[in-house]
Amino acid sequence: MDRELTAVVSTAVAEVPAKRQEAPAPLRGSVLVLIQFDVCEEIRLDKLRNILGARTADAVFKKAPAYVRYQRPPVEETLEPVVLESGERLEGQIKYYDYGVVSLVFELPFAGTWDDLIQVSCRWTSDTNFESIASRIARQKLERAAPALVKPYLDPAKPGSDTPANAWLQEDYFIFLMREISLEETKPGGANASPSANDLLATRGDQISQVVRGETAQLSEGERQEILQSRISYYPNDLAVIGWNAAFIYDTPAGAETAIQLLQYANSQLLEFRHYDELMTRELENVYDFLEVGGTGLWSRWRTARAASKLHTVLLDVNELTERADNAIKFLSDMFSARLYKLAAQKVGVPDYKDLVKEKLQTAEDLYRFMVEQFNQSRAFVLELLVVLILIIELVYFFKGKPI
């Protein structure tokens, strides 16, 4: 792989407090930074596999994996580690989805206290250094993958791509994955058994809420309850608390793959629907401008046929693309994965943007029918006018004694 992919990150962003020597850390796991870019209309995955020699990502779920599958599994590639100034290494991975989204995940091992985790959450969720690192890596990878990209959007780092219509859209998300948690600080006798989800929520609900929100200050009881309502468990000893910008997961590495993959998918859907929302907004503005400058005049209505045809083409494209993004994963009988995805999608805002796109598609359909009706009225008027002219010409020749 390219040596350029190795990066140095400021310790102000990624520094984890030093491990205490006097006692084992009560929390052990990792922090994942998920950054996604909407880079093109479509990625030809078969062609991309041949270019990169990368593997296909399999769906990994807790139950009934044969019934939960990608329609078109994304292509997955391991990145060179990102080296911190402190000497720690962030493992990296990139996924390419067929609907044009590139997803990068960086993972940093973590060991420390609840206060340490809260401090890390506060710094990372408000810092933008990872965005520049991820965009640089994505640019390098996409230069090689360019033949597999269909209708690529302009890179915001390149000249002439600073307009919203052309620039990449981006989403980021943070996952605080704890594989080992000790409640010895709260249990008499220093019990080391893995706590249940109920025990964890009862004793550390305040800290979990702060981690999910990225806040060092204690939250109100109402905010705490709102955050912890968005929780889900499959076994007694696992827990996922999903927020709009971050999630806290307590599970084994294998078990956590379910939530991680579905959070990736939900955020990629959000990115796509944001793109379609902006696309439909621009198209509707163009139609309104066209109608405002005279598109409804008698003779100018002839031009509405071309504008209506363009609008209809956009409608068909957006419907096809939204269906592809919406059905990338099929849930046939795994109800837990379906519920987990529904919770993740709701928290990151997928249904909201999906409803916006549906409303704008309906508005565009109404405008299309209106424009076609206007054109048909103009055409009918012109045809009637031609018939009248022909009759007048025949009458003139008739009265002159020169019938046609």
Side-chain angles (χ1 to χ4, degrees), residues 18-226:
K19 300 177 183 178
R20 290 170 170 77
Q21 300 297 326
E22 62 274 11
L27 299 177
R28 291 186 179 275
S30 57
V31 182
L32 286 78
V33 183
L34 168 62
I35 301 178
Q36 298 180 326
F37 301 97
D38 187 22
V39 300
C40 64
E41 188 173 291
E42 180 184 357
I43 300 178
R44 296 194 176 106
L45 299 182
D46 292 338
K47 194 169 186 178
L48 184 65
R49 291 187 192 96
N50 295 331
I51 295 173
L52 302 180
R55 65 184 181 275
T56 297
D58 296 323
V60 179
F61 297 95
K62 285 189 174 181
K63 187 178 180 182
Y67 299 100
V68 185
R69 61 177 182 270
Y70 287 110
Q71 290 291 90
R72 298 180 183 179
V75 171
E76 185 178 282
E77 187 179 11
T78 301
L79 300 173
E80 287 286 337
V82 175
V83 182
L84 308 180
E85 289 181 355
S86 61
E88 301 217 10
R89 292 157 64 91
L90 291 172
E91 299 297 326
Q93 184 185 80
I94 184 170
K95 284 184 181 180
Y96 305 85
Y97 293 89
D98 72 299
Y99 42 86
V101 171
V102 172
S103 176
L104 294 92
V105 179
F106 301 102
E107 182 173 2
L108 175 69
F110 175 86
T113 66
W114 285 99
D115 288 340
D116 297 336
L117 186 61
I118 291 171
Q119 292 294 331
V120 170
S121 171
C122 181
R123 288 198 303 270
W124 282 30
T125 54
S126 60
D127 199 284
T128 58
N129 283 353
F130 275 109
E131 298 175 7
S132 59
I133 294 171
S135 63
R136 179 172 60 82
I137 294 175
R139 287 196 301 272
Q140 293 176 358
K141 288 295 182 180
L142 291 175
E143 286 178 2
R144 186 180 174 192
L149 307 183
V150 178
K151 297 182 181 180
Y153 310 137
L154 293 180
D155 183 348
K158 293 182 179 180
S161 61
D162 55 346
T163 59
N166 295 324
W168 293 355
L169 292 179
Q170 174 201 323
E171 282 291 334
D172 55 56
Y173 199 84
F174 300 86
I175 301 173
F176 300 92
L177 170 59
M178 298 297 107
R179 301 181 179 93
E180 298 179 16
I181 296 179
S182 173
L183 293 184
E184 59 185 77
E185 296 174 331
T186 60
K187 282 189 174 183
N192 292 318
S194 298
S196 67
N198 290 334
D199 290 339
L200 192 57
L201 289 170
T203 58
R204 293 297 181 179
D206 290 341
Q207 288 85 348
I208 292 174
S209 302
Q210 290 174 265
V211 170
V212 172
R213 279 290 186 267
E215 292 285 349
T216 56
Q218 187 172 0
L219 301 174
S220 69
E221 181 63 21
E223 186 68 12
R224 175 183 177 275
Q225 291 297 329
E226 194 277 332

Side-chain angles (χ1 to χ4, degrees), residues 345-361:
Q346 179 183 5
K347 295 306 294 185
V348 301
V350 173
D352 297 332
Y353 272 97
K354 190 174 180 180
D355 290 342
L356 284 174
V357 172
K358 284 184 177 180
E359 290 175 5
K360 290 178 181 179
L361 284 172

